[in-house]
């Protein structure tokens, strides 16, 4: 056995196991399962991407893993211990902006370590190195309102990375950014990840983003959410956006995943059919009246 320099132990942390998890929402009369009998494993030290159509229950699952919410049935464990609440081991980067708008970029980034009483010298050095890493050195004294959308997301990433959590949970962190900024953010994220490998759970609805980033792709079925398929993405690294055009294997994965995602999205359209029919008949009724037909 070779010597372990510590990275192995760090990389090996953060295994999350979901076992037959069910979650209901609604009042007693109209309770509906949003997640049902859902089991999968978040592999430690890997970039795990969860993908599924909008509204299928991805954020619900992420909240359960973060410990913000509790499952109604089944168990979720973190390195073998049942998750019973939030922990600084598992930090979340949300899709909406969660920066403190009265603090500068730098203050936002050091807020967590500062609150935990980290030595300020070490923290300062680390914050500056992370700011540089995400290309924001020149903007460290700016307030969130003075930063572009892409810059704000980079501050959020830096804020999570400096806390060095065993697991980073990201809920569609690049949603709503324009295509150029999104592409750049994905590159930043891959670089950050290569330099600070850890367990990542990254939620997205974007198949290109998923294939570009993922070591493992966890594809969800729709309403209620459960595991549809887990695909290992064994594409070469470092990855660039061109990968999706150049690698046949990337295209094969995309085709397979898209076929399943379409099927899942169709399920929810079919479920809505009744209300569509109501809408159509109401609409045609009105049209008949309006035209005197
Ligand atoms: N707190 C809640 N109360 C009631 N219903 C909820 C709540 N949170 C989510 N839902 C419902 O659960 C489903 C899944 O939501 P969500 O997990 O946010 O989906 P996704 O993140 O995949 O878009 C949606 O139909 C949503 O309306
Ligand atoms: Mg969501």
């Amino acid at each position: 056995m070779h010597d372990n320099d510590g990275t192995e132990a760090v990389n090996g942390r953060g295994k999350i196991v979901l076992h037959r998890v069910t979650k209901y929402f609604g009042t007693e009369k109209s309770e509906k399962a949003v997640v049902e009998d859902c089991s999968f494993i978040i592999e430690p030290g890997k970039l795990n991407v969860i993908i599924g159509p909008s509204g299928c229950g991805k954020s619900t699952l992420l909240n359960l893993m973060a410990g913000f919410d509790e499952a109604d049935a089944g168990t979720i464990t973190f390195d073998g211990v049942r998750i019973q609440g939030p922990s600084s081991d598992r930090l979340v980067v949300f899709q909406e902006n969660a920066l403190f708008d009265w603090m500068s970029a730098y203050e936002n980034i050091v807020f967590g370590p500062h609150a935990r009483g980290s030595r300020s010298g070490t923290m300062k050095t680390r914050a500056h190195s992370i700011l540089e890493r995400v290309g924001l050195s020149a903007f460290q004294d700016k307030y969130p309102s003075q930063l572009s959308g892409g810059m704000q997301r980079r501050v959020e990433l830096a804020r999570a990375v400096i806390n060095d959590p065993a697991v980073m949970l990201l809920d569609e962190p690049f949603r709503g950014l324009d295509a150029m900024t999104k592409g750049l953010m994905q590159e930043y994220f891959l670089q950050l990840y290569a330099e600070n490998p850890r367990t990542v759970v990254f939620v997205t609805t974007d198949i290109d983003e998923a294939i570009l980033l993922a070591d493992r792709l966890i594809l969800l079925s729709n309403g209620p959410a459960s595991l549809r398929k887990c695909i290992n993405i064994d594409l070469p690294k470092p990855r660039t956006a061109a990968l999706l055009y150049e690698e046949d294997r990337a295209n094969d994965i995309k085709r397979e995943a898209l076929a399943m995602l379409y099927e899942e999205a169709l399920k929810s359209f079919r479920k809505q059919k009744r209300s569509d029919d109501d809408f159509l008949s109401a609409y045609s009724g009105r049209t008949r009246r309006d035209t005197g037909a």
Side-chain angles (χ1 to χ4, degrees), residues 151-170:
M151 287 176 181
Q152 291 178 13
R153 305 293 164 96
R154 277 182 271 158
V155 176
E156 281 184 58
L157 281 182
R159 187 167 70 162
V161 168
I162 200 172
N163 285 295
D164 210 22
V167 182
M168 263 174 80
L169 302 155
L170 300 106

Side-chain angles (χ1 to χ4, degrees), residues 231-274:
I231 305 173
N232 280 320
I233 312 280
D234 46 7
L235 297 167
K237 291 181 181 181
R239 297 191 190 154
T240 60
L243 176 95
L244 288 157
Y245 311 104
E246 288 166 0
E247 288 272 341
D248 288 344
R249 171 87 184 113
N251 272 309
D252 291 346
I253 296 170
K254 181 171 173 176
R255 216 168 297 128
E256 183 189 1
L258 270 182
M260 284 187 254
L261 286 170
Y262 277 132
E263 253 180 57
E264 295 304 329
L266 269 179
K267 271 196 219 162
S268 71
F269 281 125
R270 276 193 214 109
K271 258 192 220 143
Q272 286 163 13
K273 191 167 179 314
R274 215 187 129 248

Side-chain angles (χ1 to χ4, degrees), residues 23-26 32-35 52-63 69 95 171-172 175 203 205 220 222 225:
K23 177 76 191 166
Y24 296 100
F25 279 127
K32 86 173 177 169
V34 174
V35 176
S54 266
C56 81
K58 300 179 296 299
S59 296
T60 303
L61 279 167
L62 209 71
N63 284 337
D69 209 346
Q95 60 198 23
D171 195 356
E172 298 189 55
R175 189 169 81 164
V203 163
T205 53
L220 296 181
N222 195 7

